[in-house]
């Protein structure tokens, strides 16, 4: 009696639109903007010594606060994606075990003795 191999469970649909590439893109853009603002601040430093220091502190504070807020709002989505990947990996491992059991039973049906590696 031929049994088909166990089928792999379907992959659940992705629920969130954000990915790690969005975080990396945001960090790259923030770094470019920070470098550009640094050049502007250095230029302003020649014009207004005291004002440029305040401007530099404010701009740096805004960038740091924006990055921290983005990370805090982004972490739940990253954690959910990690949880989905872990769950999927467990499903794949379970499917591999089922396939191994199925192959062993098929060999037994055909009269082929499966190799037992534990005796060696």
């Amino acid at each position: 009696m031929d049994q088909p191999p166990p089928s792999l469970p379907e992959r659940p649909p992705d629920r969130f639109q954000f990915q790690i590439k969005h975080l990396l893109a945001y960090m790259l853009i923030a770094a470019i903007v920070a470098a550009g603002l640094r050049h502007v601040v250095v230029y302003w430093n020649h014009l207004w010594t005291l004002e440029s220091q305040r401007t530099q502190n404010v701009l740096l504070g805004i960038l740091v606060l924006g990055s921290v807020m983005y990370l805090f709002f982004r972490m739940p989505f990253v954690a959910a994606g990690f949880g989905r990947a872990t769950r999927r990996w467990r499903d794949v491992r379970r499917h591999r075990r089922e396939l191994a059991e199925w192959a062993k039973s098929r060999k037994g049906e055909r009269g082929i003795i499966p190799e037992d590696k534990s005796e060696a």
Side-chain angles (χ1 to χ4, degrees):
M1 187 177 226
D2 287 334
Q3 295 177 346
S7 62
L8 183 64
E10 291 295 321
R11 179 180 177 164
D14 293 333
R15 287 185 241 149
F16 302 112
Q17 61 185 0
F18 299 108
Q19 298 174 358
I20 195 75
K21 65 182 175 183
H22 293 111
L23 174 63
L24 294 175
Y26 175 79
M27 292 173 69
L28 176 67
I29 290 170
I32 292 171
V33 169
L37 288 175
R38 174 72 178 140
H39 287 293
V40 169
V41 167
V42 167
Y43 174 72
W44 280 352
N45 195 20
H46 295 291
L47 300 177
W48 302 286
T49 307
L50 184 58
E51 278 301 313
S52 72
Q53 187 66 29
R54 290 180 190 160
T55 305
Q56 182 181 8
N57 288 340
V58 168
L59 292 176
L60 185 62
I62 288 171
L63 284 174
V64 168
L65 183 63
S67 299
V68 168
M69 285 178 52
Y70 179 80
L71 286 175
F72 280 132
F73 287 122
R74 184 71 184 107
M75 275 304 140
F77 296 103
V78 171
F82 183 73
R84 278 195 312 271
T86 304
R87 200 172 323 114
R88 178 72 177 153
W89 179 247
R90 274 188 264 131
D91 289 344
V92 167
R93 284 194 325 198
R94 182 179 43 79
H95 182 254
R96 285 181 183 169
R97 283 192 302 269
E98 289 174 359
L99 279 177
E101 291 172 8
W102 176 79
K104 192 182 288 187
S105 70
R106 292 283 294 164
K107 286 179 182 178
E109 287 175 6
R110 292 181 166 195
I112 302 172
I113 301 171
E115 297 178 14
D116 191 8
K117 296 178 183 177
S118 62
E119 294 177 5

